Amino acid sequence: MSVSRERVVEKYAKAELGFWLYLMTDIILFASLFATYMVLRPNIAGGMSSSELFDPTFALAETVLLLMSSFTCGLAVLFLRFRYKSTGLTLLAVTLLLGGMFLFLEMYEFMEFIHEGQSWQTSGFLSGFFALVATHGLHITIGILWGLVLFWYIFKKGITANAMRRVSLFSLFWHFLDIVWIFIFTIVYLGAFV
Amino acid sequence: MSDFVTFLIGRMSFEYLPTDPATIGAAIGMPLGVLAVAALITYFKKWKWLWQQWVTTVDAKKIGTMYIVVAILMLLRGGADALMLRLQTAVAVGDAKGPFDADMFQQVVTAHGTLMIFFVAMGLVFGIINWVLPLLIGARDMAFPVLNSISFWLFASGMILNNFALVFGGFSNGGWLGYPPLTGLEYNPGPGVDYWIWSLQIAGIGSLLSGVNFFTTIIKNRAPGMTLMKMPIFTWSVLVTSVLIMLAFPILTVTLALLGFDRTLGTHFFTSDSGGNPMLYINLIWAWGHPEVYILVLPAFGVFSEVVATYSKKKLFGYKSMVIALLAIMFFSFIVWQHHFFTMGAGANVNAFFGIMTAVIAIPTGVKIFNWLFTMYRGSIHFTAPMFWFLAFVVTFTIGGVTGVLMAVPALDFQVHNTLFLVAHFHNVIIGGVVFGLFAGITHWFPKIFGFKLHDGLGKLSAILWQVGFILAFIPLYILGLMGAVRRLDSYDDPTWQPLFIVSGIGVVVIALGMAALIMQIGYSIWKRNELKDETGDPWDGRTLEWSVPSPAPHYNFAVTPTVTERDDWWYRKQRNDTAYLKSDYVDIWLPKNSAVGLLVGVGAGMAGFAIIWHLWWLLVPALLFVVLVIIRQTMNDDDDARVSATELFHEDNLGRRA
């Protein structure tokens, strides 16, 4: 016995509100990490300072990748909504690929810093930096995992009402991470040179 | 030891087994207790019943009952801790030794505070909310029933992890909020603080999810016609509490995680060297911690709003001002946190701001107290056990509120900061507010959940014993605090303090008798359940929707979704003699199926926490992976509803009413 259409609509309305609320709580989570970073930023304890360490061009490359992935994510949702399955799935795959490249760059940057002897154990400033940026990276990882599951689900079961409601929530999440990154780029990377 | 063994057992070793008699007793007793319960379940062949009716349930009422059972068990343990503390301070004067050494004493203090706030108060609050929130708004369930089950099992998982510290490893000695650098690696290398961090982290994430769930439920699941301003005040208090949960708990998540990183990854957030900043921790933890006390007390205020109106047979005085007061408290609770550390040295202007805000927050709280008293004024008051709890609350909470305003003055706070005066103050508001409020709520709504009332006389006896015991236990602490006795004091030199400490100890014993009366009340009522049976579904001549359904409330709550036209809809329906449904009103409904997802997530999270505490990295990865897989499977589950047909509802509903 399958569930009625109204039940699906009603459940989606709840899930959407619930997911927005979850995103708000995530904002508080990031806000706490931003505050921690700002408080600890002057405490370099003999390690490198933010302006010595960061390369804004590198961070710009990451930003461009993530913004592009948000664009393709939006396109993917549109195409899926109009039931272009293969185009939509391709765009979803591109989104995840761009996210993966972003993640790779971030890991590369982390490795670079650690290689230079600037790890999270070096100073309060670096502890704050790694916690903030890695938490964003962890969210991206979860997003990629979620996107892969959605890809597989739509590939197998087609564009069902349930699939679309999950895709909409996924795109909310992905755009949200983009916004958080804009703040990281501005406050952490550009802020180092103000 | 070889590398492989270290890899396998992390930092476990025999030295972490308990050594002193009290802990050994508990460490043997607790697992034996669990085994005894398991044996009884096997003997009575109840495993299947347990699994189907409780463990995998997504029915909010049953989840609420599980919260309350856990909370009462933890209340007994936390109460035993309190007895131990006051036993120590009653004897440890001058050269006389108490039963515990200093470190053990601090562990008991920490366990008492942590258990009482996170597992007793939170458990009772979430239990009551789960019991009645959907019923009060005419809903069949929470917005996300499976998520609700996940929240409970995360709470239970945190509780088990917390208690396991007693058996193996020892608990934190850093106080209930674990201030670094004392809780840093340098001064606390053992697993105690890690138990504290990760048990709270797991339970805290459960609470955060509950906040999202409650808020969505209130916004989306209300019965037709129930506008926000027609909701019962309890619902309003839950709405405000869930906003506070959503805004405050992420801060706790971050704070605990960062302290955990300091301890396991060697970061420098809160260390006293390499650029760490311990004061940052204290700001962060109180930015969560102050809203937290309102998260606890607002639902208790909500309970009293329902209780006083029901037993005074009058509508609540000043409904709108109650709502405004709740919203004002919601706002102000976020701009007072610094009053927990006026002595930090933030400067006179900062202290003045936070001092004034703290005094201001007493105004909406006072409005609420007066509204309840005016509700009673010229009412037809029925002095039942919930009203006894309410009266005890008014006395206790008001004293606590007044001493709170005293301490809002920074100049005065410098004198009593970190003394027993403060300890007495927050017990006044938390026991007087939260505990009394939730006991009133349990007594009030018990028949709706179980179908029989609690014995009234024993409830009154319990309320009186708690009240008397409370005064004996805490008024001496105010005096001692003013005399300079600091909190968490395990021994002292001034013999003139001893009589006051002894009186306080006697008070704790009286409270324990009150607790015994409460347990007896529950036991006796179960024994006499046929005499105390609630035949009508409306034993108190209630005002709100939950009393319109039979007792115990069916698992779908409402056979027919009610349509609401005014506040206290059920009361006015009764006045108009308009309480029956028509046959044609019954329609097919959808209900969520049972789910083991909550339990699995709880088990996975508990394993992960245990792995971090003991540095078992080989266990951490699969445990987290397990949680992720369970959640992925759940998010892809399209078949989680079951239909209940209209005929079935009609028959069950009408049978229930006759019986």
Side-chain angles (χ1 to χ4, degrees):
Chain A
M1 215 185 316
S2 79
V3 180
S4 71
R5 179 144 186 88
E6 294 86 74
R7 177 82 175 161
V8 173
V9 172
E10 182 196 312
K11 280 174 101 172
Y12 174 58
K14 286 178 202 168
E16 197 185 17
L17 175 64
F19 199 74
W20 270 106
L21 293 171
Y22 154 71
L23 291 181
M24 298 303 111
T25 68
D26 233 15
I27 286 182
I28 306 286
L29 187 118
F30 277 109
S32 312
L33 288 167
F34 272 113
T36 305
Y37 174 75
M38 290 309 283
V39 168
L40 295 180
R41 194 170 71 163
N43 304 359
I44 58 172
M48 281 161 88
S49 73
S50 51
S51 56
E52 289 165 342
L53 194 60
F54 296 151
D55 176 4
T57 334
F58 191 85
L60 184 65
E62 290 177 280
T63 312
V64 170
L65 276 178
L66 207 57
L67 285 178
M68 271 163 57
S69 83
S70 249
F71 179 65
T72 56
C73 178
L75 285 181
V77 174
L78 278 179
F79 275 98
L80 288 173
R81 191 162 289 155
F82 292 108
R83 316 199 77 76
Y84 293 97
K85 185 174 160 184
S86 53
T87 322
L89 282 183
T90 313
L91 283 162
L92 182 62
V94 172
T95 307
L96 300 179
L97 194 70
L98 288 168
M101 283 161 71
F102 167 86
L103 210 57
F104 175 78
L105 284 190
E106 191 168 292
M107 293 310 275
Y108 178 82
E109 187 191 34
F110 283 0
M111 288 303 173
E112 195 85 323
F113 288 172
I114 293 167
H115 198 69
E116 288 172 40
Q118 307 296 315
S119 80
W120 54 80
Q121 299 188 340
T122 308
S123 65
F125 151 62
L126 281 163
S127 299
F129 165 79
F130 276 100
L132 173 59
V133 180
T135 302
H136 179 264
L138 181 68
H139 277 73
I140 293 280
T141 314
I142 293 169
I144 291 175
L145 204 60
W146 186 7
L148 287 174
V149 174
L150 278 177
F151 185 94
W152 174 80
Y153 180 89
I154 296 173
F155 186 75
K156 237 182 126 180
K157 296 196 184 175
I159 307 172
T160 63
N162 276 321
M164 270 327 286
R165 88 173 208 225
R166 281 158 199 160
V167 167
S168 319
L169 297 183
F170 167 77
S171 80
L172 268 181
F173 186 65
W174 200 258
H175 293 312
F176 165 76
L177 293 183
D178 213 11
I179 294 169
V180 174
W181 177 261
I182 296 297
F183 277 87
I184 293 180
F185 179 60
T186 314
I187 293 174
V188 175
Y189 290 97
L190 296 183
F193 300 95
V194 175
Chain B
M1 235 184 336
S2 73
D3 286 349
F4 182 69
V5 174
T6 316
F7 171 76
L8 216 54
I9 63 168
R11 56 167 161 169
M12 290 180 176
S13 88
F14 288 116
E15 67 176 298
Y16 291 122
L17 285 169
T19 46
D20 68 299
T23 328
I24 291 175
I28 295 171
M30 277 202 317
L32 281 181
V34 173
L35 280 178
V37 172
L40 280 176
I41 295 170
T42 313
Y43 181 77
F44 288 106
K45 299 196 170 63
K46 288 286 189 189
W47 282 109
K48 200 175 169 192
W49 168 82
L50 191 71
W51 178 261
Q52 287 178 344
Q53 296 292 316
W54 297 97
V55 173
T56 60
T57 189
V58 290
D59 177 352
K61 297 180 291 297
K62 285 186 175 160
I63 291 177
T65 304
M66 293 194 287
Y67 268 114
I68 290 174
V69 169
V70 171
I72 289 182
L73 285 176
M74 289 302 103
L75 179 58
L76 295 176
R77 204 201 131 188
D81 286 341
L83 274 169
M84 284 151 73
L85 299 178
R86 286 295 156 256
L87 175 65
Q88 170 95 358
T89 50
V91 292
V93 56
D95 292 332
K97 287 261 182 291
F100 309 107
D101 63 30
D103 182 68
M104 187 64 202
F105 186 83
Q106 299 308 329
Q107 284 191 34
V108 178
V109 170
T110 308
H112 170 78
T114 309
L115 286 171
M116 289 300 199
I117 294 290
F118 288 91
F119 298 106
V120 177
M122 288 299 270
L124 289 174
V125 167
F126 284 6
I128 291 273
I129 293 176
N130 269 294
W131 264 12
V132 296
L133 177 63
L135 279 164
L136 278 168
I137 57 173
R140 295 220 161 82
D141 210 326
M142 292 287 180
F144 310 113
V146 176
L147 189 69
N148 200 23
S149 160
I150 293 178
S151 287
F152 169 75
W153 285 106
L154 287 173
F155 168 82
S157 175
M159 180 274 289
I160 291 168
L161 202 57
N162 195 309
N163 280 282
F164 196 74
L166 202 58
V167 181
F168 188 50
F171 198 54
S172 166
N173 57 11
W176 79 283
L177 280 187
Y179 283 8
L182 175 61
T183 49
L185 208 52
E186 197 180 341
Y187 303 103
N188 241 318
V193 178
D194 296 298
Y195 269 115
W196 179 82
I197 292 175
W198 298 106
S199 69
L200 298 194
Q201 186 70 293
I202 291 169
I205 290 170
S207 307
L208 181 57
L209 297 174
S210 288
V212 172
N213 207 344
F214 298 157
F215 190 91
T216 314
T217 305
I218 296 174
I219 297 300
K220 291 283 182 190
N221 278 17
R222 275 170 296 138
M226 183 178 274
T227 58
L228 287 177
M229 289 307 275
K230 284 177 189 160
M231 295 196 305
I233 284 287
F234 179 77
T235 319
W236 263 106
S237 74
V238 177
L239 188 71
V240 170
T241 286
S242 40
V243 172
L244 291 179
I245 291 174
M246 290 189 286
L247 293 179
F249 267 80
I251 311 178
L252 178 73
T253 307
V254 167
T255 314
L256 291 174
L258 298 185
L259 185 63
F261 293 159
D262 270 4
R263 296 180 53 83
T264 40
L265 300 177
T267 53
H268 292 285
F269 289 103
F270 311 126
T271 54
S272 25
D273 61 342
S274 298
N277 186 345
M279 289 320 297
L280 175 65
Y281 178 92
I282 295 171
N283 269 291
L284 284 172
I285 199 95
W286 281 114
W288 160 81
H290 199 86
E292 162 70 4
V293 302
Y294 288 98
I295 289 168
L296 297 177
V297 85
L298 291 183
F301 288 174
V303 170
F304 284 130
S305 300
E306 305 306 325
V307 160
V308 173
T310 304
Y311 297 100
S312 302
K313 307 287 164 218
K314 261 180 76 190
K315 71 171 185 182
L316 187 71
F317 184 90
Y319 178 94
K320 271 187 196 159
S321 64
M322 284 297 207
V323 173
I324 294 168
L326 282 168
L327 294 174
I329 292 173
M330 174 177 94
F331 175 74
F332 284 113
S333 69
F334 277 101
I335 47 173
V336 296
W337 82 90
Q338 195 259 0
H339 70 209
H340 296 275
F341 42 94
F342 279 142
T343 53
M344 172 173 128
N349 288 337
V350 174
N351 280 359
F353 172 81
F354 282 95
I356 291 166
M357 287 305 128
T358 307
V360 166
I361 206 169
I363 296 170
T365 317
V367 166
K368 298 184 80 69
I369 302 264
F370 281 113
N371 279 346
W372 291 314
L373 295 179
F374 286 134
T375 305
M376 287 173 75
Y377 179 65
R378 292 207 163 162
S380 158
I381 302 170
H382 295 235
F383 277 110
T384 53
M387 283 306 272
F388 271 57
W389 288 116
F390 170 72
L391 294 176
F393 154 81
V394 171
V395 176
T396 318
F397 188 83
T398 308
I399 297 174
V402 170
T403 55
V405 175
L406 268 176
M407 284 188 297
V409 182
L412 193 144
D413 183 73
F414 271 66
Q415 302 302 312
V416 292
H417 180 80
N418 261 355
T419 64
L420 289 175
F421 189 90
L422 165 83
V423 172
H425 156 71
F426 71 69
H427 281 86
N428 250 133
V429 282
I430 291 179
I431 292 184
V434 185
V435 179
F436 290 3
L438 297 171
F439 285 168
I442 290 174
T443 321
H444 182 61
W445 281 303
F446 195 88
K448 185 47 64 192
I449 304 300
F450 295 106
F452 58 95
K453 292 178 275 188
L454 285 174
H455 187 268
D456 201 48
L458 283 168
K460 287 176 183 170
L461 177 68
S462 176
I464 292 169
L465 286 170
W466 267 87
Q467 172 71 67
V468 172
F470 184 87
I471 291 169
L472 286 175
F474 290 99
I475 299 299
L477 294 195
Y478 279 118
I479 304 166
L480 284 163
L482 287 176
M483 283 156 51
V486 295
R487 69 194 297 191
R488 299 169 186 158
L489 181 72
D490 64 311
S491 69
Y492 48 93
D493 293 326
D494 187 345
T496 58
W497 291 1
Q498 196 182 22
L500 287 167
F501 271 121
I502 290 173
V503 172
S504 176
I506 294 169
V508 180
V509 173
V510 178
I511 292 178
L513 292 176
M515 197 57 217
L518 193 91
I519 302 284
M520 266 169 61
Q521 181 197 22
I522 296 172
Y524 183 80
S525 308
I526 293 175
W527 184 38
K528 295 278 181 195
R529 62 186 175 280
N530 287 327
E531 286 161 44
L532 292 164
K533 195 169 178 137
D534 170 24
E535 308 275 358
T536 59
D538 188 10
W540 319 121
D541 195 9
R543 311 183 67 80
T544 37
L545 290 174
E546 75 274 30
W547 305 111
S548 70
V549 301
S551 296
H555 63 108
Y556 44 79
N557 286 358
F558 296 89
V560 174
T561 299
T563 306
V564 175
T565 49
E566 56 207 311
R567 266 175 223 157
D568 293 348
D569 200 66
W570 175 242
W571 174 263
Y572 293 105
R573 266 173 196 256
K574 283 189 287 188
Q575 312 282 314
R576 292 197 307 267
N577 240 338
D578 166 27
T579 56
Y581 304 128
L582 300 172
K583 242 183 185 176
S584 58
D585 291 340
Y586 294 88
V587 291
D588 290 5
I589 58 169
W590 292 98
L591 286 173
K593 286 181 187 165
N594 277 10
S595 165
V597 166
L599 176 74
L600 296 177
V601 169
V603 169
M607 298 292 259
F610 189 77
I612 300 176
I613 292 165
W614 292 104
H615 298 179
L616 309 171
W617 309 123
W618 58 269
L619 178 63
L620 179 65
V621 177
L624 289 177
L625 214 58
F626 177 71
V627 173
V628 170
L629 286 176
V630 169
I631 291 173
I632 287 178
R633 199 172 158 271
Q634 172 62 20
T635 57
M636 292 299 131
N637 181 3
D638 292 331
D639 182 31
D640 50 356
D641 281 327
R643 188 200 290 264
V644 183
S645 76
T647 21
E648 212 175 309
L649 279 176
F650 173 74
H651 287 301
E652 218 175 291
D653 195 34
N654 287 284
L655 274 177
R657 269 159 213 271
R658 266 205 308 278

